[in-house]
Amino acid sequence: MKPSIPKGTRDFSPEEMVRRNFILQTIRTVYERYGFRQIETPAMENLSMLEGKYGEEGDKLLFRILNSGEVIDEIKAKKDNIRLSDISEKGLRYDLTVPFARYVVMHRNEITFPFRRYQMQPVWRADRPQKGRYREFYQCDADVIGSDSLLNETELVQIIADVFSKLNIGVSIKINNRKILSGIAEIIGEADKIIDITVAIDKLDKIGIDKVNEELKGKGVSDDAITKMQPLFSVKGTTDDRLNFLDNFLSASETGKKGIEEVRTLLSYLHSMSFKSDLIELDITLARGLNYYTGAIFEVKVSDARSTFTSSVLGGGRYDDLTGIFGLPDVSGVGISFGIDRIYDVMLEMNLFEQMHLNESSTKILLVNFGKKEEQYALTVLQKLRAAGVNSEIYPDAAKMKKQMSYADACKIPYVLLIGDEEMQSGKLTLKNMMSGEQNRLDVEELIKKLH
RNA sequence: GUGAAUGUAGCUCAGUUGGUUAGAGCAUCAGAUUGUGGUUCUGAGGGUCGUGGGUUCGAGCCCCAUCUUUCACCCCA
């Protein structure tokens, strides 16, 4: 039997986990600094909770779990009365936002609103794996639900900046507003085609104006509407310039004006909190996650000379009525989601992990095992070290010194303690620093003091 | 779901127009060295060449299928 793992999934070595945990811990610390509280939800949800929430594409990418029991035999017995639910009624979660909405509705009476929650768990998508795209990956979400205030958007943007600054990754935070996109569709007289329109203009950077126009035409957008849109594609200048342009372009759309107003408010909040304005950029072609966003839309791309990574490392936005489908209407929420697997890939590419020399081993000291008699003595020392809060381990076999030293070396354990006859008699133990090679004779108290 | 590339030891890769018993470096293990690792020297183990079929006297090499990984599209963290 040849061992294998499913397509798009990965094992993580101890070295990789140290690095992944560093990223996770950085995000967690920032989330908690801003008052977010952690929850977890099950890896699987009932399919009825997931289906239809992510659009047609999303439904195809759901992992469905085969029902337990003799499913095949039971289905055969049913002949033509087979229902989909006879085969599968559970699926793996596709993101953390929909399960969160479900959580909020189920626990509405225990939750104090506005609820600031964070969640860091794996999600699964049956996508074709490629660079930066996995079938099992972690999302790290923070959402505020039960508040319309744009202060929430402001704080989320600050969180984004804090995290990437701590990780030492240069990024560009792109913002947009669904209301601006709605306004555009309205102004050009194609309000019902908003999805097709935004999907097409989202590709502007990638495929160029001509191809975008071609795609719009293919989707049945009128020539007149396409002509009206052209000025949008050539907007240049600062965020203020763009907003001024939109003031004019969307002057006949109440929704559009509301969107501009929201963007201005967010920017002014950020300004008064002395946020570095060159990090953030209004991008009217940004149209992600359109299925449920209703206000702000966020996306972060790496913008760092040391990285070639082009996919987004964070997405987010506001959804006014996500819980409505679960029976709790009019609850507004806004959230963001870090993709730590991509962040890991970026940091690896930028050699950031090497520069920050993370502790590769949590063990601080290895006690060398010389034999039965010495082992007894070492055990009491080990006990004292651990009681004093020093991460310690003893080599379990009385193997050759070379082997034990090599073990410490390979595991990057910084100190080794030698306890032989001499040490037992004098009570002065030999401490070796594996980095410098230098050795000292210390009693247990001195040892604990030194390692603390 | 569409299109393309890839796969030889744990890892990175050689392998001639199809021709005997498939090689190297690194890693691993053992020894040189019975209380000293990271450098050195010596030796050893490890491959049904991704898998299954086919062509051939003969296949790591050619053909077909399938899986993995990678890249692009779609979509997305």
Side-chain angles (χ1 to χ4, degrees):
Chain A
M1 168 79 68
K2 214 174 190 173
S4 68
I5 56 175
K7 182 198 284 212
T9 65
R10 296 149 305 151
D11 288 325
F12 298 113
S13 66
E15 291 73 25
E16 289 169 311
M17 283 312 297
V18 167
R19 297 168 169 194
R20 285 174 66 85
N21 282 333
F22 170 78
I23 299 171
L24 245 19
Q25 190 52 42
T26 302
I27 295 171
R28 177 196 303 276
T29 303
V30 174
Y31 279 170
E32 291 182 352
R33 181 87 71 239
Y34 283 76
F36 287 79
R37 306 202 291 162
Q38 188 174 23
I39 67 161
E40 290 204 352
T41 62
M44 54 186 146
E45 292 276 345
N46 289 325
L47 268 184
S48 56
M49 299 294 106
L50 302 172
E51 282 172 330
K53 310 295 187 299
Y54 307 104
E56 226 175 287
E57 282 299 317
D59 273 4
K60 284 190 214 152
L61 301 182
L62 285 177
F63 275 108
R64 290 152 208 275
I65 299 170
L66 187 66
N67 288 348
S68 327
E70 306 289 322
V71 179
I72 303 287
D73 291 343
E74 282 166 24
I75 286 169
K76 276 184 186 155
K78 286 201 169 188
K79 293 199 184 320
D80 344 322
N81 287 324
I82 303 167
R83 289 185 232 157
L84 207 60
S85 62
D86 293 330
I87 301 165
S88 168
E89 51 192 13
K90 298 178 289 297
L92 294 176
R93 76 164 99 75
Y94 179 90
D95 72 357
L96 301 179
T97 307
V98 167
F100 176 50
R102 193 222 79 227
Y103 176 96
V104 167
V105 175
M106 283 182 72
H107 299 274
R108 64 182 114 176
N109 295 325
E110 306 144 34
I111 293 173
T112 307
F113 294 97
F115 182 34
R116 304 157 80 80
R117 81 81 232 227
Y118 76 92
Q119 189 170 354
M120 310 199 293
Q121 288 188 275
V123 304
W124 293 268
R125 296 182 186 177
D127 219 337
R128 271 230 193 149
Q130 51 177 281
K131 189 184 178 72
R133 179 172 303 187
Y134 307 101
R135 287 186 147 186
E136 178 183 60
F137 62 97
Y138 266 71
Q139 287 194 333
C140 301
D141 280 34
D143 291 77
V144 184
I145 197 156
S147 160
D148 290 340
S149 168
L150 289 165
L151 225 42
N152 299 311
E153 273 86 340
T154 309
E155 292 203 314
L156 291 172
V157 170
Q158 288 182 305
I159 285 176
I160 294 169
D162 279 4
V163 167
F164 286 109
S165 145
K166 286 193 177 184
L167 295 177
N168 188 21
I169 302 172
V171 293
S172 156
I173 305 172
K174 297 180 186 265
I175 60 163
N176 195 8
N177 196 295
R178 166 66 182 263
K179 295 187 179 88
I180 290 177
L181 295 169
S182 297
I184 291 170
E186 202 180 297
I187 290 292
I188 63 167
E190 298 275 6
D192 54 324
K193 292 211 169 64
I194 175 163
I195 304 253
D196 289 333
I197 292 169
T198 50
V199 166
I201 64 177
D202 189 38
K203 295 178 192 162
L204 188 61
D205 276 351
K206 225 171 175 178
I207 64 178
I209 294 178
D210 295 344
K211 294 259 183 184
V212 169
N213 288 335
E214 217 171 276
E215 180 162 334
L216 285 168
K217 200 163 182 174
K219 295 286 182 185
V221 177
S222 74
D223 288 343
D224 183 41
I226 294 176
T227 308
K228 280 188 183 156
M229 276 177 76
Q230 296 312 302
L232 280 172
F233 298 156
S234 45
V235 184
K236 292 204 175 74
T238 64
T239 294
D240 278 341
D241 294 340
R242 291 171 203 211
L243 286 168
N244 292 337
F245 166 84
L246 288 172
D247 275 334
N248 196 346
F249 191 85
L250 297 176
S251 58
S253 163
E254 283 310 311
T255 308
K257 274 156 59 181
K258 184 85 195 341
I260 300 169
E261 175 60 32
E262 286 183 13
V263 170
R264 283 217 167 92
T265 306
L266 170 58
L267 291 173
S268 93
Y269 272 142
L270 285 168
H271 183 72
S272 55
M273 295 173 123
S274 27
F275 186 85
K276 267 202 243 152
S277 59
D278 56 332
L279 279 178
I280 195 162
E281 179 194 348
L282 172 65
D283 179 357
I284 51 178
T285 68
L286 174 61
R288 315 218 120 213
L290 210 69
N291 286 305
Y292 41 72
Y293 292 143
T294 53
I297 303 172
F298 305 119
E299 179 180 82
V300 172
K301 287 199 169 175
V302 177
S303 136
D304 196 303
R306 297 168 292 178
S307 171
T308 59
F309 221 78
T310 53
S311 0
S312 62
V313 289
L314 176 142
R318 178 171 285 276
Y319 35 89
D320 279 339
D321 195 29
L322 190 67
T323 56
I325 38 173
F326 297 125
L328 182 65
D330 303 324
V331 178
S332 187
V334 57
I336 53 171
S337 180
F338 287 88
I340 73 141
D341 301 83
R342 287 180 177 179
I343 292 173
Y344 182 99
D345 291 344
V346 169
M347 292 180 71
L348 196 65
E349 188 188 21
M350 289 166 59
N351 291 321
L352 291 182
F353 294 120
E354 288 170 30
Q355 295 163 25
M356 59 178 60
H357 45 77
L358 298 166
N359 281 339
E360 301 247 354
S361 168
S362 56
T363 301
K364 194 116 186 231
I365 184 165
L366 173 78
L367 309 209
V368 172
N369 189 328
F370 279 97
K372 280 284 162 273
K373 189 162 43 101
E374 295 89 341
E375 206 174 72
Q376 286 294 330
Y377 189 102
L379 244 24
T380 68
V381 176
L382 185 66
Q383 188 58 32
K384 285 179 190 160
L385 283 168
R386 286 176 177 161
V390 178
N391 296 353
S392 334
E393 58 183 294
I394 181 167
Y395 198 88
D397 307 297
K400 284 184 180 156
M401 257 285 231
K402 181 187 167 77
K403 192 170 167 71
Q404 301 193 42
M405 296 300 279
S406 303
Y407 172 85
D409 194 45
C411 296
K412 303 218 162 67
I413 297 172
Y415 292 98
V416 165
L417 191 65
L418 306 174
I419 307 172
D421 276 335
E422 249 180 78
E423 285 85 354
M424 288 194 293
Q425 269 176 25
S426 64
K428 293 274 188 188
L429 314 177
T430 301
L431 177 72
K432 172 160 181 154
N433 179 326
M434 293 297 278
M435 276 281 272
S436 63
E438 124 193 58
Q439 300 195 170
N440 290 304
R441 300 292 294 266
L442 304 167
D443 63 29
V444 178
E445 278 67 37
E446 291 167 327
L447 180 65
I448 287 170
K449 213 169 157 191
K450 171 145 182 126
L451 294 185
H452 244 303

